[in-house]
Amino acid sequence: MTDGDSAGVDAFEAQRRYLGAVAYRLLGSVTDAEDVVQEAWLRWQAVDWSQVADVRAYLTTVVTRLCYDLLGSARARRESYYGEWLPEPLVTDDGESPAERAELGEEVSLAVLAVMEQLTPAERAAFVLHDLFAVGFGEIAAALDRTPDAVRQLASRARRRVREGGRRGTVDPAEHRRAVSAFAAATAQGDLAGLMAALDPEVVWHSDGGGIVSAGVRPIRGAERVARLVAGLAARWLAPESGASFGFARVNGEPGVVWYESPGRVGGVLAFTVADGRITEVHIVVNPEKLAHLV
């Protein structure tokens, strides 16, 4: 490998995590995002690197176009999906520094990613690149073959649709963590009253089993119905002889819960929306195909 080759490889590797973060937010799939980044690497190898003035901008355009092409076919697949389609959860610990998190763009909750499924591919690209990664409208316009004014309108429309489609939620991490902790404690103890206290009266439960494992086909609404559902699931999922357990983790940047059906084997990931100290929305992914990237 020549020095020039090494420089090109190093330039791409320096952007790999950033590109993966962009692709994940565009696609809602860790697996598909990894495939896109690999395809971007293959294309990068065919480029005269010395002619690329801004590596990040160039690779962002490549990844955006690859994702844009995938979004149309992905939407068609999701329309025929069994039950609710939820994004693949992104589970991390608290080991990353604020600087490392900033490098990967603004974090997006599972609930917001689910709402973003309502956007057109162009709206989603404009919203993700501009609002989450601060990419300029001119650069986005070049990637989408649109004018900067058209991209500005796309981002504005997407922003409005995301705001209107989302449930009410808090941005206070401490309040969010307290509500999730109360929910987890009540679940572990089979405490129906405790669950009712942790849930907003109009809470909505979303689940994704993909037709592979048992999960609700449609959302379940109301604190009493959700509390009884959770109590029933906990009785099965946390049976003493099963070796199963719950653990806390950052799920798409917010306090969430991971259910381990056996030591080291993830059976489900729960993400929460919290407002006024109570949980207003739960998204639980139990489709094993969407958990395969987790260990």
Side-chain angles (χ1 to χ4, degrees):
M1 180 180 293
T2 66
D3 290 343
D5 290 340
S6 178
V9 172
D10 291 344
F12 185 91
E13 290 303 322
Q15 305 298 329
R16 182 180 286 275
R17 291 190 71 207
Y18 160 79
L19 296 173
V22 171
Y24 171 70
R25 286 156 178 77
L26 284 170
L27 299 172
S29 167
V30 176
T31 307
D32 289 345
E34 290 172 346
D35 290 343
V36 162
V37 173
Q38 182 59 27
E39 178 62 25
W41 162 242
L42 295 176
R43 296 191 180 198
W44 177 246
Q45 289 179 293
V47 171
D48 181 355
W49 300 325
S50 66
Q51 300 301 308
V52 179
D54 186 330
V55 174
R56 172 168 287 203
Y58 180 89
L59 291 172
T60 299
T61 296
V62 172
V63 164
T64 299
R65 288 176 175 171
L66 289 169
C67 290
Y68 186 85
D69 290 341
L70 282 175
L71 281 169
S73 59
R75 172 170 288 190
R77 292 197 309 272
R78 291 165 190 176
E79 286 175 352
S80 61
Y81 192 80
Y82 183 84
E84 280 198 86
W85 185 94
L86 297 181
E88 290 182 16
L90 194 62
V91 178
T92 58
D93 57 31
D94 289 322
E96 290 181 328
S97 68
E100 287 174 318
R101 291 177 192 160
E103 171 70 11
L104 300 181
E106 185 177 331
E107 292 176 304
V108 185
S109 70
L110 213 63
V112 171
L113 277 176
V115 171
M116 284 165 59
E117 287 297 308
Q118 302 168 12
L119 305 179
T120 68
E123 287 173 342
R124 185 162 184 163
F127 175 75
V128 166
L129 292 174
H130 182 264
D131 285 40
L132 306 184
F133 290 93
V135 177
F137 287 126
E139 187 177 329
I140 301 170
L144 298 180
D145 292 326
R146 309 284 180 104
T147 66
D149 282 344
V151 171
R152 186 178 289 106
Q153 292 173 13
L154 285 168
S156 176
R157 188 161 61 241
R159 196 178 304 121
R160 183 174 61 253
R161 293 181 67 185
V162 168
R163 184 171 58 248
E164 292 172 351
R167 298 287 322 273
R168 180 171 51 97
T170 182
V171 294
D172 181 359
E175 182 180 324
H176 190 115
R177 188 174 294 106
R178 284 194 296 272
V180 173
S181 296
F183 172 90
T187 299
Q189 296 163 12
D191 179 2
L192 194 61
L195 280 169
M196 292 283 290
L199 299 171
D200 184 88
E202 298 180 359
V203 64
V204 182
W205 174 277
H206 304 269
S207 56
D208 179 346
I212 300 172
V213 298
S214 178
V217 177
R218 285 179 285 275
I220 296 172
R221 303 175 185 275
E224 183 174 357
R225 292 184 67 197
V226 172
R228 293 189 181 282
L229 170 68
V230 172
L233 291 174
R236 299 203 311 269
W237 287 1
L238 298 177
E241 66 276 8
S242 69
S245 64
F246 275 142
F248 294 102
R250 287 170 57 86
V251 178
N252 290 71
E254 296 180 335
V257 170
V258 178
W259 167 54
Y260 298 92
E261 58 182 342
S262 60
R265 181 180 176 83
V266 176
V269 173
L270 294 86
F272 303 86
T273 303
V274 175
D276 299 328
R278 287 188 168 187
I279 294 166
T280 59
E281 201 165 18
V282 183
H283 289 79
I284 175 169
V285 179
V286 290
N287 181 345
E289 293 180 350
K290 295 187 176 183
L291 304 175
H293 63 285
L294 304 176
V295 293

